[in-house]
Amino acid sequence: LWSSTSTSSTSSESKGYPRPTLQLTLLDPFTQRGVFGPGYGSRNFGKSADYAQQFMNTDDPVPSTNEPCGGCAVWDVTGARERGEGGNGDIFGHDWPLVYFSRYWK
């Protein structure tokens, strides 16, 4: 396990291995941290990753999932043309980013 704060001589870099790259993909993430943490994910998700991407939609009633995360490349798939094709119109809004990512993202 690699940590950016690790100073241990057992880290992969000290053994001559390159540091692994960390990519984070968030699919319509819930960004509130309990009752007292609104906006937590928007401020923090993706900060420690080498590359972070967020797939979101803005037409569902699920709370705290409709704002972009500041540490991510954001893909708003709400109006993606694929949503109206092949029976995708019946997919609940919060489920759409997962369906889009699994079926269409290359």
Side-chain angles (χ1 to χ4, degrees), residues 22-29 46 49 51-55 72-73 75 97 101 105:
L22 177 64
Q23 178 175 328
L24 175 66
T25 299
L26 301 165
L27 303 172
D28 212 27
Y51 177 76
Q53 59 187 355
Q54 173 189 8
F55 290 80
C72 299
W75 307 94
F101 183 79
W105 189 253

Side-chain angles (χ1 to χ4, degrees), residues 46-87:
K47 284 187 353 183
S48 298
D50 294 306
Y51 177 76
Q53 59 187 355
Q54 173 189 8
F55 290 80
M56 64 179 281
N57 69 300
T58 57
D59 66 349
D60 66 61
V62 179
S64 83
T65 64
N66 296 335
E67 296 295 326
C69 295
C72 299
V74 179
W75 307 94
D76 184 347
V77 297
T78 305
R81 66 176 171 78
E82 294 89 351
R83 194 167 186 183
E85 298 174 354

